Amino acid sequence: MERMITYNIDEDSGGLRIEQYLRRRGYSAQSLTHLKKMPESILINGVWSYMRTPLKSGDILSVHIQETESSPHIPAVKLPLDIVYEDEDILVANKAAGMPVHPSLNNYRNSLANALMYYYQEQGKPFIFRCTNRLDRDTSGLTVIAKHMVSSAILSSLTMRHEITREYLALVRGRISPSEGTINAPIGRTGSSLIERRIDFENGETAVTHYRVIEEKNSHSLVSLILETGRTHQIRVHMKYIGHPLIGDYLYNPDTEFISRQALHSFHLSFSHPMTGEKMSFTAPLPEDMSRILYTQDHGRPYQV
Protein backbone atom coordinates (compact mmCIF):
# COMPACT_ATOMS: atom_id res chain seq x y z
CA MET A 1 0.00 0.00 0.00
CA GLU A 2 1.15 3.55 -0.75
CA ARG A 3 -0.13 6.51 1.24
CA MET A 4 0.88 10.18 1.49
CA ILE A 5 -0.17 11.84 4.76
CA THR A 6 0.16 15.61 5.18
CA TYR A 7 0.27 17.68 8.37
CA ASN A 8 0.18 21.49 8.67
CA ILE A 9 2.45 22.47 11.53
CA ASP A 10 0.95 25.02 13.93
CA GLU A 11 2.66 27.29 16.47
CA ASP A 12 2.28 24.78 19.29
CA SER A 13 4.21 22.18 17.32
CA GLY A 14 6.93 24.53 16.08
CA GLY A 15 10.31 23.58 17.51
CA LEU A 16 9.51 19.89 17.83
CA ARG A 17 11.69 17.45 15.95
CA ILE A 18 9.82 15.44 13.30
CA GLU A 19 10.15 12.27 15.37
CA GLN A 20 8.70 13.98 18.45
CA TYR A 21 5.79 15.39 16.46
CA LEU A 22 4.90 12.03 14.92
CA ARG A 23 5.08 10.25 18.28
CA ARG A 24 2.55 12.77 19.59
CA ARG A 25 0.33 11.93 16.61
CA GLY A 26 0.33 8.28 17.70
CA TYR A 27 3.10 6.84 15.52
CA SER A 28 4.78 3.90 17.23
CA ALA A 29 8.54 3.51 17.60
CA GLN A 30 8.33 0.55 15.21
CA SER A 31 6.50 2.63 12.59
CA LEU A 32 9.14 5.36 12.81
CA THR A 33 11.90 2.78 12.42
CA HIS A 34 10.25 1.40 9.26
CA LEU A 35 9.76 4.91 7.87
CA LYS A 36 13.46 5.66 8.31
CA LYS A 37 14.22 2.72 6.02
CA MET A 38 11.87 3.89 3.27
CA PRO A 39 13.27 6.17 0.54
CA GLU A 40 12.25 9.82 0.96
CA SER A 41 9.48 8.93 3.38
CA ILE A 42 9.67 12.20 5.34
CA LEU A 43 9.45 15.58 3.60
CA ILE A 44 9.22 19.15 4.88
CA ASN A 45 7.74 21.50 2.31
CA GLY A 46 8.47 18.88 -0.33
CA VAL A 47 12.13 18.41 0.64
CA TRP A 48 13.39 15.09 2.01
CA SER A 49 14.34 15.44 5.68
CA TYR A 50 15.70 13.48 8.62
CA MET A 51 13.57 12.50 11.64
CA ARG A 52 15.71 14.75 13.89
CA THR A 53 14.99 17.86 11.80
CA PRO A 54 13.13 20.55 13.81
CA LEU A 55 9.78 21.77 12.55
CA LYS A 56 8.70 25.39 12.18
CA SER A 57 5.22 26.89 12.37
CA GLY A 58 3.73 26.95 8.86
CA ASP A 59 5.73 23.94 7.63
CA ILE A 60 3.96 21.22 5.66
CA LEU A 61 5.14 17.81 6.85
CA SER A 62 4.48 14.91 4.50
CA VAL A 63 4.81 11.23 5.43
CA HIS A 64 5.11 8.92 2.44
CA ILE A 65 4.29 5.32 3.39
CA GLN A 66 5.49 2.79 0.83
CA GLU A 67 4.72 -0.86 1.53
CA THR A 68 5.63 -2.95 -1.50
CA GLU A 69 5.30 -6.49 -0.13
CA SER A 70 2.25 -8.57 0.83
CA SER A 71 1.77 -10.97 3.74
CA PRO A 72 3.82 -13.97 2.54
CA HIS A 73 1.75 -16.89 3.87
CA ILE A 74 -1.78 -15.80 2.97
CA PRO A 75 -2.93 -17.15 -0.40
CA ALA A 76 -5.39 -14.99 -2.33
CA VAL A 77 -8.76 -16.75 -2.60
CA LYS A 78 -11.95 -15.44 -4.16
CA LEU A 79 -14.48 -15.55 -1.31
CA PRO A 80 -17.64 -13.58 -0.42
CA LEU A 81 -16.62 -10.27 1.15
CA ASP A 82 -18.96 -7.71 2.74
CA ILE A 83 -17.12 -4.37 2.96
CA VAL A 84 -19.01 -1.85 5.09
CA TYR A 85 -16.49 1.01 4.75
CA GLU A 86 -13.12 1.66 3.15
CA ASP A 87 -10.76 4.60 2.77
CA GLU A 88 -6.98 4.98 2.36
CA ASP A 89 -6.26 3.98 5.95
CA ILE A 90 -8.84 1.46 7.18
CA LEU A 91 -11.36 -1.10 6.02
CA VAL A 92 -14.40 -2.28 8.01
CA ALA A 93 -15.80 -5.67 7.04
CA ASN A 94 -18.94 -7.54 8.11
CA LYS A 95 -17.52 -11.04 8.58
CA ALA A 96 -19.75 -14.03 8.00
CA ALA A 97 -20.16 -16.72 10.64
CA GLY A 98 -17.97 -19.74 9.90
CA MET A 99 -15.19 -17.65 8.36
CA PRO A 100 -11.97 -17.48 10.41
CA VAL A 101 -10.20 -14.14 10.54
CA HIS A 102 -6.72 -15.64 9.98
CA PRO A 103 -5.60 -18.69 8.01
CA SER A 104 -4.63 -21.72 10.09
CA LEU A 105 -3.58 -25.31 9.49
CA ASN A 106 -7.16 -26.50 9.04
CA ASN A 107 -8.51 -23.26 7.56
CA TYR A 108 -5.76 -22.20 5.22
CA ARG A 109 -7.85 -20.88 2.32
CA ASN A 110 -11.21 -19.81 3.75
CA SER A 111 -10.41 -16.86 6.02
CA LEU A 112 -11.16 -13.15 5.89
CA ALA A 113 -7.46 -12.59 5.27
CA ASN A 114 -7.61 -14.79 2.14
CA ALA A 115 -10.61 -12.85 0.84
CA LEU A 116 -8.92 -9.48 1.37
CA MET A 117 -5.68 -10.68 -0.19
CA TYR A 118 -7.66 -11.57 -3.34
CA TYR A 119 -9.54 -8.24 -3.22
CA TYR A 120 -6.30 -6.23 -3.28
CA GLN A 121 -4.48 -8.58 -5.64
CA GLU A 122 -7.22 -7.92 -8.21
CA GLN A 123 -6.46 -4.18 -7.82
CA GLY A 124 -2.72 -4.77 -8.26
CA LYS A 125 -1.97 -3.56 -4.72
CA PRO A 126 0.29 -5.18 -2.14
CA PHE A 127 -1.46 -5.96 1.14
CA ILE A 128 -0.32 -6.83 4.65
CA PHE A 129 -3.18 -8.18 6.77
CA ARG A 130 -3.53 -6.28 10.06
CA CYS A 131 -6.79 -6.94 11.90
CA THR A 132 -7.53 -4.80 14.96
CA ASN A 133 -10.47 -6.56 16.64
CA ARG A 134 -10.27 -10.28 16.00
CA LEU A 135 -13.44 -12.36 16.02
CA ASP A 136 -13.87 -16.08 16.64
CA ARG A 137 -14.55 -18.11 13.51
CA ASP A 138 -18.24 -18.57 14.35
CA THR A 139 -18.84 -15.01 15.56
CA SER A 140 -20.29 -12.85 12.80
CA GLY A 141 -20.12 -9.10 12.35
CA LEU A 142 -17.88 -6.07 12.23
CA THR A 143 -14.12 -6.04 12.33
CA VAL A 144 -11.68 -3.26 11.37
CA ILE A 145 -8.53 -3.83 9.32
CA ALA A 146 -5.67 -1.34 9.10
CA LYS A 147 -4.40 -0.78 5.56
CA HIS A 148 -0.89 0.35 6.48
CA MET A 149 1.54 0.26 9.39
CA VAL A 150 0.73 3.72 10.78
CA SER A 151 -3.05 3.26 10.97
CA SER A 152 -2.39 -0.18 12.49
CA ALA A 153 -0.19 1.27 15.24
CA ILE A 154 -2.69 4.00 16.09
CA LEU A 155 -5.67 1.62 16.13
CA SER A 156 -3.68 -0.71 18.41
CA SER A 157 -3.03 2.16 20.81
CA LEU A 158 -6.76 3.04 20.78
CA THR A 159 -7.49 -0.57 21.70
CA MET A 160 -4.97 -0.52 24.53
CA ARG A 161 -6.58 2.66 25.90
CA HIS A 162 -10.09 1.14 25.58
CA GLU A 163 -11.08 3.85 23.08
CA ILE A 164 -12.73 1.48 20.61
CA THR A 165 -16.32 0.72 21.62
CA ARG A 166 -17.46 -2.77 20.67
CA GLU A 167 -21.10 -3.79 21.05
CA TYR A 168 -22.19 -7.38 20.45
CA LEU A 169 -25.60 -9.00 20.22
CA ALA A 170 -26.13 -12.47 21.64
CA LEU A 171 -29.00 -14.92 22.02
CA VAL A 172 -29.65 -16.93 25.20
CA ARG A 173 -32.55 -19.02 26.41
CA GLY A 174 -35.03 -17.66 28.91
CA ARG A 175 -35.26 -14.38 30.82
CA ILE A 176 -32.23 -12.69 32.35
CA SER A 177 -32.71 -11.07 35.75
CA PRO A 178 -31.71 -8.37 36.34
CA SER A 179 -32.23 -7.25 32.75
CA GLU A 180 -29.05 -5.20 32.73
CA GLY A 181 -25.84 -5.07 34.69
CA THR A 182 -22.08 -5.51 34.71
CA ILE A 183 -20.20 -8.80 34.90
CA ASN A 184 -16.81 -8.33 36.56
CA ALA A 185 -15.15 -11.73 36.79
CA PRO A 186 -11.53 -12.61 35.86
CA ILE A 187 -10.92 -15.14 33.11
CA GLY A 188 -8.13 -17.72 32.88
CA ARG A 189 -7.22 -20.91 31.05
CA THR A 190 -8.91 -24.22 31.76
CA GLY A 191 -6.25 -26.78 32.65
CA SER A 192 -3.98 -27.53 29.70
CA SER A 193 -6.46 -26.45 27.03
CA LEU A 194 -5.15 -23.83 24.61
CA ILE A 195 -8.69 -22.80 23.69
CA GLU A 196 -11.15 -23.15 26.55
CA ARG A 197 -11.42 -20.47 29.25
CA ARG A 198 -13.10 -20.28 32.66
CA ILE A 199 -13.75 -17.88 35.51
CA ASP A 200 -10.64 -17.86 37.72
CA PHE A 201 -10.66 -15.50 40.70
CA GLU A 202 -7.17 -16.54 41.81
CA ASN A 203 -5.11 -16.39 38.61
CA GLY A 204 -7.40 -14.98 35.93
CA GLU A 205 -7.08 -11.66 34.13
CA THR A 206 -9.52 -8.83 34.80
CA ALA A 207 -12.57 -9.04 32.53
CA VAL A 208 -15.55 -6.66 32.50
CA THR A 209 -18.68 -6.97 30.35
CA HIS A 210 -21.74 -4.69 30.42
CA TYR A 211 -24.99 -6.34 29.34
CA ARG A 212 -28.54 -5.17 28.61
CA VAL A 213 -31.54 -7.20 27.44
CA ILE A 214 -32.90 -5.74 24.19
CA GLU A 215 -35.86 -8.05 23.58
CA GLU A 216 -37.50 -11.23 24.86
CA LYS A 217 -39.32 -13.36 22.33
CA ASN A 218 -39.91 -17.02 21.48
CA SER A 219 -38.44 -18.09 24.87
CA HIS A 220 -35.15 -16.36 24.06
CA SER A 221 -33.50 -13.09 25.05
CA LEU A 222 -31.57 -10.84 22.71
CA VAL A 223 -28.77 -9.26 24.74
CA SER A 224 -26.55 -6.26 24.00
CA LEU A 225 -23.02 -6.66 25.37
CA ILE A 226 -20.32 -4.00 25.53
CA LEU A 227 -16.77 -5.05 26.32
CA GLU A 228 -14.61 -3.03 28.67
CA THR A 229 -11.79 -5.55 28.31
CA GLY A 230 -10.99 -7.98 25.52
CA ARG A 231 -10.21 -11.41 26.93
CA THR A 232 -10.42 -14.58 24.86
CA HIS A 233 -14.04 -15.87 24.80
CA GLN A 234 -14.99 -13.13 27.28
CA ILE A 235 -18.68 -12.87 26.36
CA ARG A 236 -19.11 -16.61 26.07
CA VAL A 237 -17.52 -17.30 29.47
CA HIS A 238 -19.23 -14.40 31.25
CA MET A 239 -22.70 -15.30 30.00
CA LYS A 240 -22.20 -18.90 31.11
CA TYR A 241 -21.04 -17.58 34.50
CA ILE A 242 -24.37 -15.77 35.09
CA GLY A 243 -26.34 -18.84 34.06
CA HIS A 244 -27.26 -17.81 30.52
CA PRO A 245 -24.72 -19.29 28.09
CA LEU A 246 -25.02 -18.43 24.41
CA ILE A 247 -27.11 -20.92 22.46
CA GLY A 248 -25.21 -22.95 19.87
CA ASP A 249 -21.87 -22.58 21.68
CA TYR A 250 -20.14 -25.93 21.09
CA LEU A 251 -17.52 -25.22 23.76
CA TYR A 252 -19.57 -23.81 26.62
CA ASN A 253 -23.17 -24.78 25.83
CA PRO A 254 -23.75 -27.28 22.98
CA ASP A 255 -27.40 -26.25 22.62
CA THR A 256 -27.80 -26.56 18.85
CA GLU A 257 -31.58 -26.97 18.58
CA PHE A 258 -32.00 -23.65 16.75
CA ILE A 259 -28.52 -22.64 15.60
CA SER A 260 -25.28 -24.49 14.81
CA ARG A 261 -22.82 -21.84 16.01
CA GLN A 262 -22.55 -19.58 19.03
CA ALA A 263 -25.26 -16.94 18.64
CA LEU A 264 -22.92 -13.96 18.81
CA HIS A 265 -22.71 -11.00 16.43
CA SER A 266 -20.36 -7.99 16.42
CA PHE A 267 -23.10 -5.43 15.91
CA HIS A 268 -21.54 -2.01 16.45
CA LEU A 269 -18.07 -0.45 16.34
CA SER A 270 -17.15 3.14 17.10
CA PHE A 271 -13.74 4.79 17.32
CA SER A 272 -11.80 7.86 16.26
CA HIS A 273 -10.31 7.57 12.80
CA PRO A 274 -6.60 6.80 13.24
CA MET A 275 -5.44 9.53 10.85
CA THR A 276 -8.12 12.25 10.88
CA GLY A 277 -9.50 11.87 14.40
CA GLU A 278 -13.05 11.90 13.01
CA LYS A 279 -15.58 9.88 15.01
CA MET A 280 -16.50 6.73 13.09
CA SER A 281 -19.53 4.54 13.83
CA PHE A 282 -20.67 1.36 12.06
CA THR A 283 -23.44 -1.19 12.52
CA ALA A 284 -24.21 -4.56 10.93
CA PRO A 285 -27.76 -6.01 11.09
CA LEU A 286 -28.42 -9.21 12.99
CA PRO A 287 -27.74 -12.13 10.61
CA GLU A 288 -30.53 -14.39 9.40
CA ASP A 289 -29.64 -17.43 11.51
CA MET A 290 -30.01 -15.38 14.70
CA SER A 291 -32.96 -13.20 13.64
CA ARG A 292 -35.15 -16.16 12.64
CA ILE A 293 -34.99 -17.52 16.20
CA LEU A 294 -36.70 -14.38 17.46
CA TYR A 295 -38.82 -13.47 14.45
CA THR A 296 -40.01 -16.68 12.84
CA GLN A 297 -43.50 -15.22 12.39
CA ASP A 298 -42.31 -12.13 10.53
CA HIS A 299 -39.68 -13.80 8.38
CA GLY A 300 -36.44 -12.91 10.05
CA ARG A 301 -36.89 -9.17 10.41
CA PRO A 302 -33.36 -7.87 11.15
CA TYR A 303 -32.77 -6.11 14.45
CA GLN A 304 -32.08 -2.38 14.18
CA VAL A 305 -31.29 0.14 16.88
Side-chain angles (χ1 to χ4, degrees), residues 16-218:
L16 293 175
R17 297 191 304 275
I18 293 173
E19 188 169 14
Q20 291 175 312
Y21 176 82
L22 293 178
R23 286 303 297 267
R24 293 187 181 186
R25 301 285 307 197
Y27 286 57
S28 67
Q30 185 179 28
S31 295
L32 295 177
T33 298
H34 286 312
L35 284 170
K36 290 175 184 177
K37 298 176 182 178
M38 292 179 184
E40 297 191 5
S41 59
I42 302 295
L43 302 97
I44 299 178
N45 304 321
V47 178
W48 175 80
S49 303
Y50 290 102
M51 285 285 186
R52 62 177 178 269
T53 304
L55 295 162
K56 300 188 299 293
S57 175
D59 280 345
I60 297 175
L61 171 64
S62 300
V63 178
H64 188 196
I65 301 169
Q66 306 154 73
E67 294 184 325
T68 58
E69 297 182 356
S70 296
S71 297
H73 303 299
I74 303 177
V77 183
K78 187 176 183 180
L79 297 168
L81 184 60
D82 182 2
I83 296 174
V84 175
Y85 174 84
E86 183 180 13
D87 61 24
E88 294 181 287
D89 305 298
I90 62 172
L91 181 146
V92 178
N94 181 16
K95 186 186 79 67
M99 173 182 272
V101 169
H102 294 274
S104 62
L105 182 62
N106 297 319
N107 294 280
Y108 190 59
R109 298 181 60 84
N110 63 332
S111 72
L112 178 63
N114 297 120
L116 285 170
M117 191 63 70
Y118 179 87
Y119 175 70
Y120 287 111
Q121 181 177 282
E122 288 295 289
Q123 299 176 50
K125 296 177 180 178
F127 177 65
I128 297 175
F129 184 67
R130 301 178 176 101
C131 187
T132 299
N133 64 311
R134 300 175 184 179
L135 302 176
D136 294 337
R137 180 193 64 192
D138 289 334
T139 298
S140 58
L142 297 172
T143 186
V144 58
I145 295 93
K147 291 179 63 172
H148 53 76
M149 62 182 182
V150 175
S151 59
S152 176
I154 295 174
L155 284 171
S156 294
S157 68
L158 292 178
T159 300
M160 294 293 291
R161 298 197 302 269
H162 309 296
E163 293 178 10
I164 297 181
T165 299
R166 295 167 289 169
E167 180 183 1
Y168 292 78
L169 295 176
L171 280 174
V172 302
R173 284 189 187 257
R175 173 174 294 180
I176 300 176
S177 181
S179 61
E180 61 182 290
T182 296
I183 307 166
N184 188 342
I187 293 175
R189 293 185 182 274
T190 300
S192 60
S193 173
L194 295 176
I195 302 174
E196 192 172 356
R197 299 294 190 268
R198 65 183 178 91
I199 300 299
D200 184 349
F201 284 99
E202 291 186 4
N203 302 306
E205 296 181 289
T206 300
V208 180
T209 305
H210 306 284
Y211 75 89
R212 176 173 58 93
V213 175
I214 297 291
E215 187 168 3
E216 297 173 2
K217 198 167 184 180
N218 290 343

Side-chain angles (χ1 to χ4, degrees), residues 136 162 166 185-188 197 204-208 227-238:
D136 294 337
H162 309 296
R166 295 167 289 169
I187 293 175
R197 299 294 190 268
E205 296 181 289
T206 300
V208 180
L227 298 177
E228 195 170 304
T229 53
R231 306 303 176 201
T232 299
H233 297 178
Q234 179 171 319
I235 288 173
R236 298 163 67 184
V237 174
H238 270 178

Side-chain angles (χ1 to χ4, degrees), residues 62 256 303:
S62 300
T256 58
Y303 168 71

